[in-house]
Amino acid sequence: MSSNNPKKRKPGSEPVPSAKRPRFPQRAHAHHIPTKPTSAAYPNGEINLKAFLNSHQNEIKSLENAMRAAKKGLSRRAFQDVPREMRRRTASHNPQRVPKRLRTRARQEATEDNTPVSRGTSGSGVGKGRKKWLRKEGIEKSRKQWEERKRRRKEKKDGDEGGEAMAGVEVDNNMIAINKEVVKRAKRKFAVLATPETPPSRFRRRQKNKTWLPTHVWHTKRARMTPPTEPLWRFAIPLAPAVKAYRLTHRAATLRGAVAWDMSYVSTISLEGVEASISGLLQGLHFSRESEEDPWQDRGKAKKWRCGSRAWEGWLYEREGKNPQGVASVTIVWCVAEEGSTKRKAFIRVHPCAFLQLWNEIIRIAKVQKPAVMVEDLRFEVGSIEIMGPGAAESLCSILHPTSSPDGNSPQSIWPALADVTDPGVLPPGALLSFPICDPRLRDPPRTSPRAQDAESQTAFMDILANWPVDASHTASALFSRNARLAAARSLPSQQSINRRKSTDGNFGEYPEPRATDPQIPVLVYTSKKSKSWTVLLPWKCVMLVWRGLMRYPLSTGGNPRFGGLKERRQIDFERSVPSFPFDFPGCDAGWVWELQERAARQHEWTKRPKGKRIEWSTIDIGNERKGELGDPWACDWERLLKKDSEDASMTGTEDQTPTSPFRQLPSRDARALLAGKPVPALSTSTSTPHLFTVKINMAQRGTPTACARIYRLPSTNPDLKTKWLSLLPSANPSSSRKKAPITPASPQPHPPNRDLARTLLHPTHPRPGPPKAGDPDYPVVPAESDLIGFVTTGNYNLAEGMPTAVANLAVHRVIEGLEPGSSIGKEGRVCIVRGPGETTGRLAVWDVV
Amino acid sequence: MVRVKNRYLVVNILYPASSPAARAGEAVPELLQFHAPTPDAFHTGQLVRLVREGIAELFGDYGMGMANRTLKVTYWSPATSTAIIRCPREHYEMVWAALTFTTKLPRPIDVPVVFKVVRVSGTIRKAEEEVIRRAKGIITRAREVEKGRKDVIVEGVVRAVEKRAEPDAVLAQVDEGEESESESDSE
């Protein structure tokens, strides 16, 4: 009866469509692995070897298939198949943002998933922004305006002159020539600061208070840049790549690959004059006073440097004073002397944070030289690329292709052989090469440069490294001449014409034949021993061409060179435990300004957080009833290290005056002398200004030092505390200390009564073997403020060393306090206590001068 | 995210006495006889039931409750007598014990067997890789047998068995070295 009730739904009828479609539909039988039944594998139930082998082979096959299917079964969207570094943020909702081959799949997935597909708003199809056709209107408007102007000009022309068009042209040319001469004759008396070229109108508003690097647009797609309203040193600088880069950068710079930076923001100052004047200027600024080698001696590297075949890195100082303040760490390159000219040229490369200060110093001292030195600001004319890592030389050799190679020993002919260099340290220190290169776009896509494999070329390569024949064949680089720089930038053909030439010229897939009219881009390549990097100087407008080539170069070890931002540059320096300018030099003005900026930034970060989620500095208990963080918690509070009476307003700066550092930076040579107990002239002459010196910190136990961490010496007033701290120091051979420690707390009685046993279990009378751990009640407290000696400026886990390290600065007067003059500082004197801001426990560490 | 953690046991069924499927034929090499196929009558469901019953017998209702949660046979190949059994991570030993204590296939087949757990892994992939590795090893050994050479491992086992009077001791010998979770070929 009930079975033929038509209203009742039959059990086998169609299932009701579920309210929500499953987001990731399970494929049926995805996890089922097919097998063969025994009856099929062994027909007639007969066991033989053939069937046995077959059945096991089938098993292998079906399991391998199952593993493959399982991998496929993981649902992946189309944009996830794009390699990590090529992904775009918008690819998840815009199918146009994935590579062409994935576009159909992406679109299909978007419709299946019911995700709205956004159409790109760029390009000519829809117009830009909310008011779609604004640009079209604008174009129309400007066309009308242009027509109006043309009409007016015509009217004016008709009114002014009549006829003789040819003569008019002639006159015009003469006028231009005359004007040029006038400009030439009226030599500028004062050096002026360079202004960046006016950008195209559509980019002009975005560069009002800053300048873009030549590769800006490339970087904005792939890196986090400085915020639009807060440029760094008046530049928009890439801070870090958008993809994860920390470990990859470490690997690329040390093990395999290469990392490149667009360093065009580094300023270039050109000096021109007779050699004696330029030398006098540099000597007046105490160039490289801190280094062991004297750049002014008449032999060896110093002589080669002055000939123009080496680059020299060192500090420039203020002119005045017996113990002058360091201004900036610079690289100086001389131009090779031109025949028939007594004048020489030199480039000073300086970080933009110290540019203005150095510029003023140079201008002042250039005037007093006899004959005077002409100073020129080449900030927006000379760009640079820095590249490091084992694959750096190889990629540069492929991208920077010399236009011609006239003879055997010229830099051009030696350059390709340097592709084998994996460490610039094997080259002479500061080795320098200069030659003109052809447009990298003509040799695109780049190919892996051939590496010498046979013994013959290896010996030739070793020969080049040993003799360095470039020294003899150096000629003046065209980069030093303004005309050559401008000519190179102006003669660059358009991409369109290059494409046309590539499609018509020569064979398909081969580079087009070089022509006599091709642009010759002057480049200057030098290596730095300190940062183990290659630096390429080239005209500002040519940076982008070389950069694009570099980023697409296929390394012989696989992959492409990576790019880095400011963070990566600092990371590399940190991993090598090298202080980087200006961040780790609070003793010079540039570093001091940076420190003030960082303070404000850290404080801002703190105030942004809700009250419950930020460290309440005033309640931090650092032992001995001391409450509250020592000094400004967001700062490396250097002012605390000053003697009380020497505070003044110049440290923080006023509106018209940049802040100046109350400290001096002690060069590491002097710091080492100080440790050895030798007298240091810089310290004996000026007792008033306190000095800082840079150290590297190695943690003795656990803990990771971070920026702003406070560094104390061992307590000087409390001997008990000092022995407590020293007992934490791991001994030289850990096996002996382990022997001494009791292995198990031996109980006095063989069978204690139960109650005693319970008590001992609850309150262990025997302390844990070994030194107390952080958090234990008997862990020593942090020393008093009088024992504060410095602050960590950069600290992190160091991938190169496999343990946490830090770069810090210590105040000299605090370090040598209590020592009798002439005594040296041994290992125990270099033990210190590091405490991060907001932490209550200190950690034992050892510092070393770097 | 909370995940249910599992263990995957790779199980081989060994035939110390002659297999029912091989009964018809004449003398087969020891290797083949040892790794003989299992009759189709013993299917996945029976394997699960066998494990459950074993657990119930050894560990009672507690064991059933704990081990039964995610118990599943993810792979069963009767032709090669190999299985992969999924079970809860915390109680995989129960399943292992239930398998080890099984000495006979269930009623209609009723032949003496040894369930040998050869690998315990956390992912099905590693379990599958282990099965593949073992199948490759068996294939090379079978090729040796095909060429007429004696199988060294089986010979060793046979010799060891002959040394002992009791036939039951074979089981103990075979299972030697099973303590480690992933041991090498030691049959």
Side-chain angles (χ1 to χ4, degrees):
Chain A
M1 191 185 117
S2 64
S3 61
N4 48 20
N5 187 348
K7 274 183 186 169
K8 238 187 183 170
R9 192 162 47 193
K10 282 178 186 118
S13 70
E14 266 185 279
V16 186
S18 60
K20 196 167 178 242
R21 184 183 47 85
R23 199 168 166 78
F24 300 109
Q26 292 284 321
R27 229 164 292 150
H29 305 301
H31 301 300
H32 180 254
I33 308 165
T35 49
K36 240 181 183 182
T38 309
S39 52
Y42 296 90
N44 310 329
E46 183 191 352
I47 295 185
N48 53 9
L49 208 60
K50 201 180 158 200
F52 183 82
L53 282 174
N54 266 344
S55 61
H56 276 96
Q57 274 159 353
N58 280 340
E59 178 173 56
I60 293 175
K61 230 177 273 168
S62 76
L63 282 174
E64 274 171 352
N65 280 338
M67 278 157 73
R68 218 170 294 137
K71 203 170 189 186
K72 228 179 179 179
L74 296 171
S75 52
R76 279 173 81 81
R77 295 284 302 269
F79 63 87
Q80 289 174 313
D81 282 351
V82 183
R84 233 196 143 77
E85 63 272 13
M86 286 169 69
R87 285 187 201 163
R88 294 279 173 275
R89 186 177 55 83
T90 48
S92 57
H93 61 266
N94 188 351
Q96 285 301 113
R97 292 284 183 211
V98 296
K100 247 181 201 165
R101 68 192 160 80
L102 293 170
R103 248 170 236 172
T104 31
R105 210 181 113 199
R107 196 160 284 134
Q108 188 195 347
E109 276 170 359
T111 46
E112 274 174 7
D113 261 17
N114 210 12
T115 343
V117 173
S118 69
R119 283 195 69 188
T121 49
S122 66
S124 57
V126 281
K128 242 180 183 174
R130 203 165 285 168
K131 284 180 155 183
K132 295 291 178 192
W133 293 106
L134 195 67
R135 264 186 82 194
K136 202 180 179 188
E137 277 170 25
I139 290 165
E140 182 67 14
K141 207 171 145 191
S142 68
R143 195 182 63 82
K144 274 188 183 151
Q145 280 174 347
W146 183 78
E147 269 179 5
E148 179 69 16
R149 276 202 299 276
K150 192 180 169 194
R151 192 179 54 80
R152 248 184 273 153
R153 214 180 304 138
K154 211 173 177 185
E155 276 175 10
K156 205 179 173 190
K157 209 177 194 179
D158 287 345
D160 280 1
E161 303 167 31
E164 46 178 346
M166 285 303 289
V169 170
E170 199 76 8
V171 165
D172 271 356
N173 280 349
N174 283 340
M175 284 295 285
I176 291 163
I178 288 163
N179 278 344
K180 258 189 186 167
E181 267 173 37
V182 168
V183 168
K184 254 188 189 169
R185 233 176 281 148
K187 225 178 195 175
R188 278 203 208 98
K189 272 193 177 165
F190 305 106
V192 287
L193 288 172
T195 46
E197 192 179 284
T198 316
S201 65
R202 59 196 161 140
F203 299 138
R204 205 170 295 158
R205 261 205 326 184
R206 294 195 248 163
Q207 297 184 59
K208 261 185 185 162
N209 54 356
K210 59 177 175 282
T211 314
W212 284 358
L213 299 184
T215 57
H216 178 83
V217 177
W218 191 95
H219 271 106
T220 48
K221 295 175 184 169
R222 295 160 180 90
R224 274 192 299 108
M225 313 292 289
T226 51
T229 50
E230 308 155 27
L232 258 185
W233 310 304
R234 303 180 72 86
F235 280 100
I237 293 177
L239 296 176
V243 295
K244 285 188 180 181
Y246 193 78
R247 250 161 214 280
L248 296 172
T249 305
H250 162 73
R251 284 188 203 134
T254 53
L255 306 172
R256 203 174 65 141
V259 196
W261 288 269
D262 182 3
M263 297 292 263
S264 299
Y265 58 85
V266 174
S267 318
T268 309
I269 300 170
S270 156
L271 306 177
E272 189 178 355
V274 293
E275 186 176 342
S277 295
I278 298 180
S279 307
L281 187 150
L282 295 178
Q283 273 165 339
L285 294 176
H286 314 282
F287 175 59
S288 204
R289 183 171 96 100
E290 79 289 342
S291 75
E292 275 88 1
E293 270 181 296
D294 177 21
W296 306 110
Q297 60 193 352
D298 227 359
R299 61 186 176 79
K301 190 192 160 194
K303 191 180 175 193
K304 282 177 181 154
W305 169 63
R306 260 176 297 139
C307 286
S309 52
R310 295 281 189 279
W312 194 296
E313 289 167 293
W315 278 72
L316 281 179
Y317 294 81
E318 276 173 359
R319 190 178 156 210
E320 281 96 10
K322 259 192 170 174
N323 184 24
Q325 168 91 307
V327 174
S329 163
V330 298
T331 306
I332 296 184
V333 176
W334 286 81
C335 179
V336 178
E338 283 168 81
E339 278 173 42
S341 160
T342 54
K343 287 202 167 179
R344 296 285 304 270
K345 285 175 184 172
F347 276 177
I348 302 178
R349 303 266 305 156
V350 58
H351 197 275
C353 63
F355 168 75
L356 197 65
Q357 196 191 357
L358 184 68
W359 172 259
N360 290 334
E361 288 289 330
I362 288 177
I363 292 288
R364 231 175 290 151
I365 198 169
K367 278 184 209 148
V368 299
Q369 302 298 324
K370 294 278 181 290
V373 177
M374 207 174 90
V375 186
E376 206 179 346
D377 177 10
L378 299 182
R379 270 186 302 170
F380 307 106
E381 282 188 44
V382 177
S384 64
I385 292 171
E386 190 175 344
I387 181 165
M388 61 173 77
E394 175 197 340
S395 27
L396 281 183
C397 284
S398 167
I399 303 300
L400 307 179
H401 188 75
T403 43
S404 59
S405 48
D407 67 85
N409 275 345
S410 68
Q412 285 97 313
S413 53
I414 282 170
W415 178 242
L418 295 183
D420 279 337
V421 175
T422 49
D423 176 15
V426 300
L427 300 180
L432 187 145
L433 292 146
S434 69
F435 47 85
I437 60 163
C438 63
D439 191 338
R441 288 176 298 171
L442 287 173
R443 303 176 57 78
D444 192 79
R447 288 180 200 145
T448 310
S449 51
R451 310 287 291 270
Q453 298 294 340
D454 52 314
E456 201 175 303
S457 53
Q458 284 291 338
T459 48
F461 174 60
M462 295 311 290
D463 204 41
I464 288 174
L465 291 187
N467 296 330
W468 200 243
V470 187
D471 284 348
S473 60
H474 252 305
T475 52
S477 171
L479 194 71
F480 286 93
S481 105
R482 186 185 158 80
N483 288 339
R485 283 193 306 262
L486 291 180
R490 281 196 195 117
S491 59
L492 291 177
S494 67
Q495 184 66 49
Q496 199 178 18
S497 74
I498 281 179
N499 290 348
R500 200 180 306 125
R501 184 166 151 196
K502 272 164 110 177
S503 60
T504 55
D505 242 32
N507 298 330
F508 183 73
E510 281 184 18
Y511 297 144
E513 292 284 311
R515 289 180 194 166
T517 52
D518 280 345
Q520 300 209 335
I521 303 171
V523 297
L524 205 150
V525 184
Y526 63 84
T527 61
S528 156
K529 189 146 198 177
K530 206 166 73 182
S531 61
K532 290 182 191 161
S533 65
W534 297 77
T535 306
V536 185
L537 299 190
L538 66 174
W540 183 268
K541 290 208 168 153
C542 306
V543 172
M544 189 57 204
L545 318 178
V546 174
W547 180 261
R548 264 183 199 282
L550 266 184
M551 286 298 114
R552 301 178 60 207
Y553 171 74
L555 286 164
S556 63
T557 50
N560 302 102
R562 303 182 56 79
F563 76 97
L566 200 63
K567 194 175 148 219
E568 278 65 37
R569 190 71 196 72
R570 290 187 68 185
Q571 179 197 340
I572 297 287
D573 276 342
F574 165 70
E575 280 176 2
R576 293 174 180 160
S577 296
V578 175
S580 57
F581 183 83
F583 319 107
D584 295 323
F585 292 99
C588 65
D589 290 353
W592 187 256
V593 172
W594 175 260
E595 161 62 22
L596 293 183
Q597 269 179 29
E598 283 295 282
R599 274 178 203 183
R602 282 189 211 110
Q603 185 168 10
H604 181 65
E605 279 298 305
W606 186 84
T607 34
K608 268 199 325 198
R609 319 197 69 178
K611 202 163 184 229
K613 293 195 174 169
R614 58 193 187 194
I615 299 176
E616 192 54 53
W617 306 107
S618 58
T619 57
I620 284 164
D621 179 18
I622 47 178
N624 281 356
E625 277 105 45
R626 286 169 296 174
K627 284 261 177 180
E629 181 53 68
L630 177 66
D632 186 353
W634 307 287
C636 296
D637 211 346
W638 300 106
E639 290 89 336
R640 288 248 160 186
L641 295 174
L642 287 175
K643 286 140 201 163
K644 284 282 174 265
D645 52 333
S646 60
E647 305 224 0
D648 62 76
S650 66
M651 290 183 319
T652 47
T654 50
E655 279 141 31
D656 56 337
Q657 197 187 352
T658 52
T660 54
S661 173
F663 292 93
R664 292 286 158 85
Q665 202 76 33
L666 193 69
S668 54
R669 186 191 56 179
D670 291 354
R672 277 194 205 99
L674 186 76
L675 288 194
K678 293 173 199 152
V680 178
L683 292 176
S684 56
T685 52
S686 65
T687 47
S688 58
T689 32
H691 280 71
L692 296 179
F693 64 101
T694 316
V695 294
K696 177 201 174 182
I697 290 198
N698 276 317
M699 301 309 282
Q701 285 179 304
R702 304 188 55 173
T704 305
T706 51
C708 292
R710 279 81 173 122
I711 300 170
Y712 303 85
R713 63 186 168 205
L714 289 172
S716 52
T717 49
N718 190 345
D720 280 355
L721 193 59
K722 186 174 180 180
T723 47
K724 253 187 176 179
W725 273 111
L726 278 177
S727 70
L728 294 184
L729 202 65
S731 57
N733 50 344
S735 60
S736 65
S737 72
R738 203 175 298 147
K739 242 176 239 167
K740 261 183 258 162
I743 298 158
T744 46
S747 53
Q749 288 171 317
H751 299 292
N754 279 354
R755 204 178 290 165
D756 288 356
L757 178 69
R759 194 182 304 132
T760 51
L761 286 177
L762 284 177
H763 306 284
T765 49
H766 300 279
R768 207 176 25 218
K773 298 235 160 51
D776 286 355
D778 55 343
Y779 191 80
V781 295
V782 178
E785 199 199 326
S786 57
D787 289 322
L788 186 71
I789 51 173
F791 294 93
V792 169
T793 44
T794 316
N796 200 349
Y797 186 83
N798 191 332
L799 286 181
E801 305 206 6
M803 56 182 183
T805 62
V807 175
N809 277 278
L810 305 182
V812 172
H813 64 275
R814 289 289 178 100
V815 171
I816 60 172
E817 201 173 70
L819 285 174
E820 56 265 28
S823 64
S824 61
I825 300 176
K827 174 104 197 297
E828 194 174 304
R830 289 188 284 107
V831 172
C832 58
I833 296 152
V834 179
R835 182 181 64 85
E839 288 174 12
T840 52
T841 51
R843 299 286 192 177
L844 218 53
V846 180
W847 55 265
D848 249 314
V849 174
V850 287
Chain B
M1 201 177 81
V2 180
R3 282 180 70 164
V4 180
K5 298 279 174 74
N6 289 320
R7 282 281 174 272
Y8 295 87
L9 310 182
V10 178
V11 183
N12 275 347
I13 302 180
L14 306 176
Y15 292 85
S18 102
S19 161
R23 219 168 281 154
E26 63 284 6
V28 287
E30 281 101 345
L31 174 74
L32 268 65
Q33 190 240 303
F34 211 57
H35 293 277
T38 311
D40 282 337
F42 185 71
H43 49 78
T44 318
Q46 279 199 315
L47 179 56
V48 175
R49 199 185 308 147
L50 183 140
V51 173
R52 274 198 201 130
E53 279 167 7
I55 293 170
E57 188 188 338
L58 293 171
F59 304 103
D61 285 347
Y62 169 77
M64 277 296 280
M66 298 315 277
N68 206 10
R69 271 183 307 171
T70 60
L71 191 70
K72 190 194 170 192
V73 175
T74 48
Y75 175 72
W76 165 239
S77 158
T80 54
S81 305
T82 312
I84 299 176
I85 301 176
R86 189 184 71 183
C87 50
R89 186 180 64 169
E90 292 78 17
H91 305 286
Y92 74 93
E93 280 119 333
M94 287 186 185
V95 180
W96 189 341
L99 285 167
T100 307
F101 275 100
T102 309
T103 50
K104 269 186 180 178
L105 289 183
R107 196 38 70 111
I109 309 162
D110 208 23
V111 274
V113 289
V114 173
F115 278 87
K116 188 180 177 200
V117 176
V118 293
R119 163 101 188 189
V120 179
S121 81
T123 60
I124 189 156
R125 209 186 102 182
K126 286 286 166 195
E128 284 167 344
E129 277 172 7
E130 176 69 12
V131 173
I132 290 173
R133 198 180 70 81
R134 287 187 162 264
K136 278 177 183 163
I138 284 177
I139 285 172
T140 46
R141 277 166 61 197
R143 290 252 162 81
E144 295 282 297
V145 171
E146 197 177 16
K147 279 178 200 158
R149 275 178 234 155
K150 295 261 176 177
D151 191 30
V152 189
I153 299 169
V154 174
E155 283 295 298
V157 173
V158 169
R159 225 175 298 130
V161 172
E162 279 165 0
K163 257 186 202 168
R164 297 193 183 191
E166 284 180 44
D168 286 3
V170 177
L171 302 184
Q173 186 66 30
V174 169
D175 284 355
E176 211 173 49
E178 209 179 74
E179 315 303 314
S180 64
E181 290 191 353
S182 63
E183 27 73 278
S184 57
D185 273 335
S186 65
E187 291 128 58

